[in-house]
Amino acid sequence: MLAREKNLVRFGLMTYMLPIQGVASNKVTIGNQELLMLGSYSYLGLISHPEIFKVAHEALDKYGSGAGGVRLLTGTADIHEQLERKIADFKRTEDSIVYSSGYVTNMTLISTLFGKDDLIVIDKYDHQSIYDGCILSKADWKRFNHNDTGDLERVLEENRSNYKRVLVIVDGVFSMDGDIAPMPEIIEIAKQHDSFTMVDEAHALGTVGPNGRGVDDYFDLKPGAVDIYMGTLSKAIPSIGGYIAARKEVITYLKFTSNAFVFSAALPPMCAAVSLKALEIIETDKELIKSLQKNYAYFINGVKEMGYNTLRSKDTPIVPVIIGDDIKTFRYAKKMKKEGILVPPIVFPAVPREAGRLRCCVMATHTEDEIDFILETMEKIGKSMKVI
Ligand code: PMP
């Protein structure tokens, strides 16, 4: 174990990997303590939705527990194809492809489509799987400052002419800062420099835009405005897996050539069935997205009013609450746990030094009373620790 983590255990400050007994909904049980969850990626609370349980049971009975093969050969089930059609419709693209993890989706997409002679330009705060995809691809890659379109322009101006093809990749909603990429400007700049665009909507799907369809919904973009939409089935969608939604020829190419499709076992059909049902629920139950958006607006206002620094987080369920150095951040999270709230402390190297934070994730299923209790607790702890 690393020295810092050893000390956390020694001083009783370790709040990572605490085993949750049962469903990870907005209330969880750890040992004999019941806690309010403030760190779940199941933003819409679909993880505890009765329809999801029903579909999972039915799919298990119909398909069994695994796919029994890779997608290219014998691992494709009818439900995989139904899910891919649904994702394509949801993202208003021609087609889509599903992989067995979001992490792997980024790795395989980038390394299949781009290589030597190409350049990949990424936001400094893009997810680790995008960095790893760049490394695997053997393309050159460069970073621009977070959400800084002027810096993106500079990188493209300085480098575009040296490469055959260029791909600009951003996270739609940034997982550590909870802010949204300025997609209309990014698309425009990429177009001016004859470059492709890709957006990772792991935290945007089901959370932003009036219909929860993601960044295109939020910015009211035209269908296909972004060349490649990537998303996960492990967050607002309470399953596992990742997808790419794009033009048909891109998806067909990926189906025959991307290593994670050709050489890795298919997503279990049960997970595909759950994902399909979750997308149907998002489309039909508009109250869910409304509750989520009401809850995150209420929470962020409350935290800001107390004087906490929440960076530029706005209109997303991820609210970073800056605490300071590592140990202070761990101490704060430990105090929250003592009061009955589970929230993950995020520290260096995941975020810059001294910018340790609680990454608060609001859910559609939090009640107003629960959010009020969280805010009251944060006021008490924040004052006692002199954070506010
Ligand atoms: N992209 C982003 C922005 C993420 O936050 C994550 C996971 N936290 C992934 C990709 C990987 O997705 P998965 O966990 O479904 O593999």
Side-chain angles (χ1 to χ4, degrees), residues 41 100-104 106 126-130 171 173-175 200-203 230-235 240-242 359:
Y41 292 151
S100 47
S101 111
Y103 184 91
V104 154
N106 275 333
D126 275 356
H127 190 257
Q128 188 62 41
S129 51
I130 295 173
D171 285 11
V173 168
F174 285 85
S175 57
D200 173 337
E201 296 200 283
H203 299 275
M230 178 271 171
T232 58
L233 304 173
S234 62
K235 295 179 170 59
I240 189 97
R359 186 175 52 179

Side-chain angles (χ1 to χ4, degrees), residues 43 125 146-147 171-181 203 207-208 218 296 300 310-321 351 357-361:
Y43 301 114
Y125 288 0
H146 176 53
N147 271 352
D171 285 11
V173 168
F174 285 85
S175 57
M176 298 297 162
D177 286 34
D179 48 0
I180 299 177
H203 299 275
T207 70
V208 300
Y218 182 82
Y296 61 63
I300 197 165
T310 57
L311 302 176
R312 294 155 305 271
S313 166
K314 185 175 158 267
D315 297 343
T316 84
I318 302 174
V319 181
V321 175
V351 294
R357 66 198 64 178
L358 305 179
R359 186 175 52 179
C360 304
C361 295

Side-chain angles (χ1 to χ4, degrees), residues 125-308:
Y125 288 0
D126 275 356
H127 190 257
Q128 188 62 41
S129 51
I130 295 173
Y131 276 84
D132 292 350
C134 290
I135 293 165
L136 188 66
S137 74
K138 299 199 176 71
D140 280 352
W141 55 281
K142 295 190 187 296
R143 307 190 303 175
F144 63 96
N145 291 330
H146 176 53
N147 271 352
D148 182 342
T149 47
D151 202 35
L152 168 64
E153 212 159 9
R154 177 192 60 78
V155 173
L156 289 174
E157 253 153 40
E158 287 174 8
N159 297 284
R160 177 64 190 94
S161 58
N162 301 329
Y163 294 92
K164 214 161 96 191
R165 295 176 312 152
V166 176
L167 173 68
V168 177
I169 314 178
V170 293
D171 285 11
V173 168
F174 285 85
S175 57
M176 298 297 162
D177 286 34
D179 48 0
I180 299 177
M183 290 314 297
E185 291 93 320
I186 288 171
I187 293 165
E188 190 50 40
I189 294 168
K191 213 187 272 167
Q192 280 165 11
H193 294 84
D194 187 24
S195 304
F196 296 105
T197 48
M198 166 169 166
V199 60
D200 173 337
E201 296 200 283
H203 299 275
L205 186 82
T207 70
V208 300
N211 306 292
R213 284 171 187 271
V215 291
D216 40 336
D217 194 19
Y218 182 82
F219 289 110
D220 198 17
L221 303 177
K222 286 202 185 78
V226 177
D227 296 300
I228 297 167
Y229 290 94
M230 178 271 171
T232 58
L233 304 173
S234 62
K235 295 179 170 59
I237 308 295
S239 182
I240 189 97
Y243 67 81
I244 297 295
R247 289 201 328 275
K248 191 159 189 59
E249 62 180 321
V250 174
I251 300 301
T252 306
Y253 183 77
L254 290 172
K255 284 190 172 163
F256 287 98
T257 59
S258 57
N259 285 350
F261 198 82
V262 177
F263 294 108
S264 182
L267 183 75
M270 180 177 69
C271 298
V274 162
S275 304
L276 177 62
K277 178 51 90 181
L279 288 169
E280 284 168 5
I281 295 174
I282 297 172
E283 274 180 339
T284 49
D285 184 357
K286 298 289 180 206
E287 286 310 307
L288 266 181
I289 184 75
K290 274 195 203 141
S291 304
L292 177 64
Q293 294 178 343
K294 182 172 94 114
N295 281 355
Y296 61 63
Y298 184 64
F299 179 73
I300 197 165
N301 281 341
V303 182
K304 272 187 174 159
E305 263 172 27
M306 281 185 248
Y308 280 105

